[in-house]
Amino acid sequence: MDATVMYKITYGLYIIGAKKGDRINAQIANTVVQISNDPITVAISINKQNLTHDYILSGGYFTVSILDQNAPLSLIGQFGFKSGRETDKFTGVNYSTTANGLPYITEHSLAYMEAKVIDRLDAGTHTIFLGQVTAAENLKAGEPMTYAYYRQIKKGGTPPAAPTYQGTQKEVKAERAEKADQKMDKYVCKLCGYVYDPEKGDPDNNIAPGTPFADLPDDWVCPVCGVGKDQFEKES
Ligand code: FE
């Protein structure tokens, strides 16, 4: 079986918000699917280990913020590679809350919806939540981020708890190495799989295209997961 076949399934990229008591949390997810139209229902798949899973179970509601294609890796990293158990994920992020008090992102988000959980399915490592949409609003015009765009253009990695994660970052590296024909070496984040490509630089963090990895400032960190330069290795 070739598990890379799964990479050919198309997805978007979303931030799922939830609330438990007066606490809020949110996480990145690529699995959001509209299931039916009358009433409108959507399904999401959430890893049972995630704090958001606990909040959706106990709060009975979730939100979906639909990310804009220009959303920076730092935003995705904040919600995708850090746990709400250790950090307040909303620090420095513009967000608002629905009438029910659930958080949604207002920065780099094209639209959001809120849904009430009406059913759930145990899928082993994940739970599939079926939600009836209770609120929805467009925030701005733009192109929605797709998972393919995030992986190929933005060079983002996949958190180990994501439904699409396939274990070894080696396969991901091999896939990228095939495409690499530049002279300047690329460097891979050992934690999240983000690839620093000198040709593109890191414009979100003021690193100009054409900056070799060695010339990055000492305080530069992985734009996805936030680790330092010492956690990178040359792409083989
Ligand atoms: Fe990283």
Side-chain angles (χ1 to χ4, degrees):
M1 186 183 77
D2 184 352
T4 64
V5 165
M6 303 306 152
Y7 288 150
K8 298 197 169 69
I9 298 175
T10 54
Y11 301 94
L13 210 57
Y14 311 96
I15 292 178
I16 306 296
K19 178 174 178 259
K20 179 182 188 178
D22 56 4
R23 284 175 296 161
I24 57 171
N25 197 54
Q27 68 157 83
I28 289 285
N30 60 314
T31 41
V32 175
V33 183
Q34 184 180 351
I35 301 297
S36 64
N37 194 41
D38 188 22
I40 300 175
T41 61
V42 292
I44 60 172
S45 176
I46 301 290
N47 191 295
K48 290 176 183 172
Q49 293 171 7
N50 292 352
L51 187 62
T52 303
H53 184 275
D54 177 35
Y55 282 23
I56 296 173
L57 265 187
S58 74
Y61 278 87
F62 60 85
T63 57
V64 178
S65 299
I66 300 174
L67 290 178
D68 160 9
Q69 201 172 67
N70 300 316
L73 284 171
S74 57
L75 180 75
I76 297 165
Q78 185 152 350
F79 287 99
F81 287 91
K82 289 172 188 165
S83 171
R85 293 188 181 93
E86 285 127 35
T87 59
D88 175 1
K89 293 200 183 184
F90 294 95
T91 302
V93 175
N94 291 326
Y95 73 98
S96 188
T97 52
T98 65
N100 286 318
L102 277 88
Y104 61 91
I105 310 302
T106 52
E107 186 181 17
H108 304 296
S109 171
L110 299 179
Y112 74 92
M113 68 189 83
E114 180 200 71
K116 178 179 172 46
V117 176
I118 54 171
D119 210 343
R120 62 176 198 265
L121 177 67
D122 187 327
T125 54
H126 289 65
T127 298
I128 299 167
F129 292 99
L130 181 65
Q132 184 173 328
V133 175
T134 46
E137 188 183 350
N138 282 301
L139 299 174
K140 63 171 183 168
E143 286 297 312
M145 174 88 85
T146 64
Y147 189 57
Y149 185 88
Y150 165 69
R151 280 180 57 87
Q152 290 158 21
I153 310 296
K154 302 200 74 109
K155 306 282 186 195
T158 307
T164 48
Y165 182 73
Q166 295 194 341
T168 72
Q169 291 293 335
K170 244 183 173 169
E171 287 169 21
V172 177
K173 269 161 64 179
E175 190 191 68
R176 284 173 186 154
E178 270 176 28
K179 293 177 193 153
D181 53 1
Q182 285 87 1
K183 276 167 267 154
M184 283 191 288
D185 291 325
K186 295 180 184 177
Y187 280 76
V188 185
C189 174
K190 288 189 276 186
L191 183 64
C192 75
Y194 164 81
V195 177
Y196 176 76
D197 180 350
E199 200 160 277
K200 297 199 169 65
D202 178 13
D204 288 341
N205 294 297
N206 301 315
I207 304 297
T211 306
F213 184 80
D215 292 351
L216 290 171
D218 289 340
D219 60 354
W220 181 83
V221 296
C222 174
V224 175
C225 72
V227 299
K229 284 177 73 178
D230 58 326
Q231 294 299 307
F232 279 69
E233 60 188 12
K234 205 188 322 188
E235 190 178 62
S236 50

